[in-house]
Amino acid sequence: MLNKLNWRCVLYILTAILGIIWVVLGFGTYGFWSAEEGPGAGFFPAIVGCVLVFFSIVEFIKSIGSDAVKFDKEALYLVASVAGILILNFFIGLFPALVIYYVAWLKFVEKYPWKKVILITIFYGGIMYGVFSLWLQVPFPTGILLSWL
Amino acid sequence: METLSMLAEGFSVAMSFQNILAALAGGILGLIVGAMPGIGSLAGCALLLPLTFHFDPTTAIIMLGSIYYANMFGGAFSAILINIPGDAPAIMTALDGFAMTKKGHPGKALFISNYSSFVGGLIGMIILVFLGPALASFGLNFGPSEMTMLMLVAMTSISWLVGENPITGIIASCLGMMISTLGVDIVSGQIRYNFGSIWLLGGINFIPLVIGFIGMTQLFDLVKQDMSGEKLSYVDAKIRFRDTLLTKDELKRATRPSITAGLMGTFVGFLPGAGATAASFLAYAAEKKISNGKTLVPLGEGAIEGLAASESANNGAAAGAFGPLLALGIPGSGTTAVLLGGLMMWGLNPGPMLFSTNPDFAWGLIASLFISNILSLAISLGCIPWLQKIVRVPIGVMIPSILMICFIGAYSTSNSMFGVVIMLIGGFLGYIFSKCGLPTAPLLLAFVLSSTLETNLRRAFLTSHGNIAMFLERPITDVFLAIFLIMVLVPVGRAIYKKAKNNK
């Protein structure tokens, strides 16, 4: 039985658990129905939770023994990129972190020559900065290093 | 006749040099802002509202109307070219629009989008002129039970829309509805499902979610293609402008859905609270039923009919939303609420008296919508040769560029890193869902409509003291109930029949 389970089964187990949480909190904590006020804050979520649990079980049974789900190892590049941006953001702020990531990707992953990297970064980064920071005045986070300076 | 002479008066107001210039400026700005993921029409109108302070009231509101209208055109650009919808109504546009881009027809997709937006908007405006006040009053007959049934029909149609397995659609819809219940309950004000987090108190913002689930998820595919040295078919293709023009057959295939979806979208736009998003996917669902098996490619895989239906309904609803706004003073959507704020700021009170107390203004605004529609079409068509160059950007440059705009777009909606976190969670979940065959479009659309469904369902039960028979007692709910039952039972019956036939 266990060797017939795959990621799809795991996903539907998780959605069923989520549904159960919504049902339990809906009925118990937030109130499903009261005689005076009618449907409570838990009314709608509890119904949705019930539907989710039912169909998750149906889909779980259908998924047993289905083709295994394979994740791509290339996805790690994106995971690493996101982790890098978040760490850099903490120190130097969001916009500089994104620019550094942009340069690093073009130079070290795509292996573009420096001249091309700088030109593309100035062009695209300039548009993004001009529109969001200068025109729309979005206050990007500055990071602890820049705040300290 | 009186209506036409009033409209002619309106055109004489709107056609002044200053007003045309304001509409043109609004059109260009609206297109730019609408095309940016993370801004959308609501934030776009709110951000650009201060620009109108420099003009007299009529010119200011003409500019604002133009911004609003052009936003609806612009929302489709990023959906078609990079699969990131500029705003919620463009989700359905991305399904067929981006599929067309991947097949090497970005220009044609943009052309159809602009053409259908124009047709849908034109239908909406004509209906607005002649039937606006009457339809707006009819929309008021939609009480909680009617709205509940309408939303239920809409929710059901989502589940049957995407993919061959409706159960996965239902699961995704349930997940979308559950995400929308996070934070403060809008009916009672009670805090729910925040699990002790202050970040969840305000609920989940839609734009970061959609950027994550659609924009970031596709990055996984792009990275895989980039790393494996695969080339996207459209990257190296040389796209000439004449290739973007529609053939007679393509124009014919786009026209019929544009008209039906435009009519449907206008009607949905008249309903307070329904909005352009509901209009676009109801029209898409209807189109899927109407053109079942008659399209050259199935809907969702680059069908002209799907793209036309979504865009036309979206713009029809945008025009229709002016009906309840001008005739009754009721904003049909968040964006029209901003417009209402603008009107009130200028000392104008929309409602039944607006057309008699400020005819110059009311008819000038309606006439300016016609002008904005034409201007937006002209500007959009003129932009196609430049816009389609975006898809010729090498995939290696596209990846960091899209990731950068995902981060910036998600951050700029709330000016907080929480938006970025939502976007990232959405992106990773979207990737897992796509690998497991769980569609994401129903999740996003259910998320958008869920609060309207919940509010109306609870109000309906509250007013009827829990009597479920209220859903059978009113003629409009009966019609929706019949549609709902047909939608649920026909596919089930068909599946049973098919199985029985195969077993023979």
Side-chain angles (χ1 to χ4, degrees):
Chain A
M1 172 72 183
L2 273 176
N3 60 0
K4 286 187 177 175
L5 295 180
N6 55 38
W7 279 106
R8 214 169 277 122
C9 297
V10 174
L11 178 69
Y12 294 120
I13 291 171
L14 291 174
T15 56
I17 292 172
L18 209 63
I20 292 168
I21 294 171
W22 250 247
V23 173
V24 170
L25 289 175
F27 274 103
T29 312
Y30 305 123
F32 187 79
W33 193 283
S34 79
E36 300 83 39
E37 291 172 12
F43 175 74
F44 182 73
I47 294 173
V48 175
C50 288
V51 177
L52 181 64
V53 172
F54 175 76
F55 284 108
S56 295
I57 293 168
V58 172
E59 205 53 33
F60 170 76
I61 294 166
K62 277 173 72 181
S63 301
I64 296 171
S66 63
D67 297 341
V69 176
K70 284 180 190 156
F71 292 100
D72 313 308
K73 59 179 186 304
E74 292 87 354
L76 290 173
Y77 277 92
L78 210 55
V79 176
S81 302
V82 167
I85 293 168
L86 290 177
I87 293 167
L88 278 174
N89 165 55
F90 182 72
F91 293 104
I92 57 170
L94 187 59
F95 203 84
L98 286 168
V99 171
I100 290 175
Y101 153 74
Y102 200 83
V103 169
W105 183 277
L106 293 180
K107 182 65 205 164
F108 303 112
V109 179
E110 301 299 331
K111 312 258 189 284
Y112 279 18
W114 273 115
K115 192 179 163 191
K116 211 171 174 181
V117 170
I118 291 166
L119 281 175
I120 296 172
T121 308
I122 289 174
F123 177 72
Y124 188 69
I127 291 175
M128 289 292 114
Y129 187 77
V131 170
F132 285 92
S133 194
L134 297 180
W135 182 31
L136 300 174
Q137 309 226 315
V138 174
F140 289 111
T142 48
I144 52 166
L145 276 184
L146 291 184
S147 305
W148 182 66
L149 284 173
Chain B
M1 274 315 278
E2 197 196 348
T3 308
L4 284 178
S5 65
M6 295 302 276
L7 185 64
E9 285 279 316
F11 269 107
S12 68
V13 174
M15 294 288 265
S16 74
F17 180 70
Q18 190 188 3
N19 289 347
I20 287 189
L21 214 60
L24 187 66
I28 293 170
L29 288 171
L31 277 173
I32 295 170
V33 173
M36 278 177 202
I39 306 290
S41 64
L42 174 59
C45 278
L47 283 166
L48 297 173
L49 184 65
L51 282 181
T52 64
F53 291 169
H54 306 286
F55 306 110
D56 70 74
T58 309
T59 308
I61 211 72
I62 283 173
M63 189 179 185
L64 206 56
S66 190
I67 289 169
Y68 168 67
Y69 211 74
N71 256 302
M72 291 292 161
F73 270 74
F77 292 173
S78 55
I80 289 170
L81 296 173
I82 54 172
N83 200 23
I84 301 180
D87 53 8
I91 294 173
M92 304 316 290
T93 306
L95 288 180
D96 285 292
F98 187 62
M100 284 183 75
T101 296
K102 285 210 287 193
K103 287 179 179 172
H105 307 298
K108 267 192 200 304
L110 288 167
F111 203 109
I112 292 164
S113 150
N114 295 330
Y115 168 72
S116 303
S117 296
F118 175 76
V119 172
L122 194 64
I123 290 170
M125 286 160 202
I126 292 170
I127 295 175
L128 179 68
V129 168
F130 293 100
L131 297 173
L135 269 178
S137 304
F138 176 70
L140 285 185
N141 288 327
F142 273 63
S145 53
E146 284 84 0
M147 285 303 283
T148 303
M149 289 310 297
L150 176 67
M151 289 297 129
L152 209 57
V153 167
M155 292 274 185
T156 318
S157 66
I158 303 170
S159 308
W160 301 101
L161 256 181
V162 188
E164 289 177 355
N165 183 358
I167 295 178
T168 52
I170 294 170
I171 293 173
S173 300
C174 288
L175 288 171
M177 286 188 265
M178 281 164 52
I179 297 170
S180 82
T181 61
L182 298 171
V184 178
D185 168 28
I186 42 172
V187 178
S188 65
Q190 187 180 343
I191 294 163
R192 58 181 183 180
Y193 301 102
N194 74 323
F195 306 100
S197 162
I198 53 160
W199 295 104
L200 289 175
L201 280 179
I204 302 292
N205 194 323
F206 176 68
I207 299 293
L209 200 69
V210 76
I211 292 176
F213 266 107
I214 296 186
M216 176 129 180
T217 300
Q218 66 150 345
L219 276 177
F220 287 98
D221 288 334
L222 287 178
V223 171
K224 191 184 171 199
Q225 283 166 330
D226 189 35
M227 295 303 152
S228 60
E230 249 179 75
K231 291 270 181 196
L232 287 179
S233 62
Y234 58 86
V235 170
D236 291 330
K238 195 174 178 188
I239 308 158
R240 293 167 301 179
F241 180 66
R242 60 182 167 159
D243 295 336
T244 69
L245 300 174
L246 300 184
T247 62
K248 217 173 174 182
D249 178 54
E250 286 164 339
L251 199 67
K252 205 173 144 193
R253 281 164 51 206
T255 303
R256 201 265 310 140
S258 298
I259 294 171
T260 48
L263 290 168
M264 193 179 222
T266 307
F267 176 71
V268 177
F270 272 105
L271 303 176
T277 311
S280 79
F281 81 78
L282 272 170
Y284 191 88
E287 186 53 38
K288 194 159 186 168
K289 294 277 173 210
I290 295 168
S291 63
N292 189 17
K294 292 178 206 153
T295 52
L296 288 181
V297 286
L299 258 71
E301 293 175 22
I304 288 175
E305 292 82 356
L307 176 59
S310 163
E311 275 304 298
S312 176
N314 168 2
N315 281 52
F322 276 92
L325 178 71
L326 295 178
L328 306 167
I330 300 171
S333 64
T335 315
T336 43
V338 174
L339 292 180
L340 178 68
L343 293 174
M344 292 171 88
M345 208 170 62
W346 300 115
L348 299 158
N349 289 314
M353 298 302 287
L354 181 74
F355 286 86
S356 50
T357 52
N358 293 88
D360 274 10
F361 166 77
W363 288 103
L365 174 60
I366 292 176
S368 80
L369 287 179
F370 283 92
I371 295 168
S372 303
N373 202 22
I374 296 166
L375 286 177
S376 298
L377 178 73
I379 299 166
S380 305
L381 291 179
C383 289
I384 289 179
W386 287 280
L387 282 170
Q388 65 181 358
K389 283 193 169 68
I390 290 174
V391 294
R392 295 187 64 196
V393 172
I395 198 168
V397 179
M398 198 77 111
I399 292 166
S401 304
I402 293 179
L403 189 61
M404 193 173 191
I405 200 152
C406 282
F407 266 85
I408 293 177
Y411 179 85
S412 59
T413 49
S414 56
N415 289 344
S416 132
M417 283 303 283
F418 183 61
V420 175
V421 172
I422 295 300
M423 182 273 291
L424 293 174
I425 293 172
F428 289 116
L429 279 180
Y431 175 64
I432 294 168
F433 285 6
S434 73
K435 287 287 167 190
C436 295
L438 201 64
T440 50
L443 183 149
L444 295 169
L445 294 164
F447 176 87
V448 176
L449 299 178
S450 179
S451 64
T452 313
L453 173 66
E454 183 184 5
T455 309
N456 284 291
L457 178 68
R458 285 168 68 184
R459 276 189 195 147
F461 275 117
L462 206 62
T463 49
S464 67
H465 306 288
N467 179 15
I468 203 160
M470 75 196 146
F471 291 113
L472 300 168
E473 287 166 355
R474 293 168 66 111
I476 300 173
T477 53
D478 289 344
V479 172
F480 285 131
L481 189 64
I483 297 171
F484 173 73
L485 289 174
I486 290 168
M487 282 173 69
V488 173
L489 295 179
V490 169
V492 172
R494 204 181 283 157
I496 294 169
Y497 174 74
K498 215 173 171 182
K499 208 169 183 181
K501 207 176 167 187
N502 287 344
N503 286 345
K504 276 182 186 174

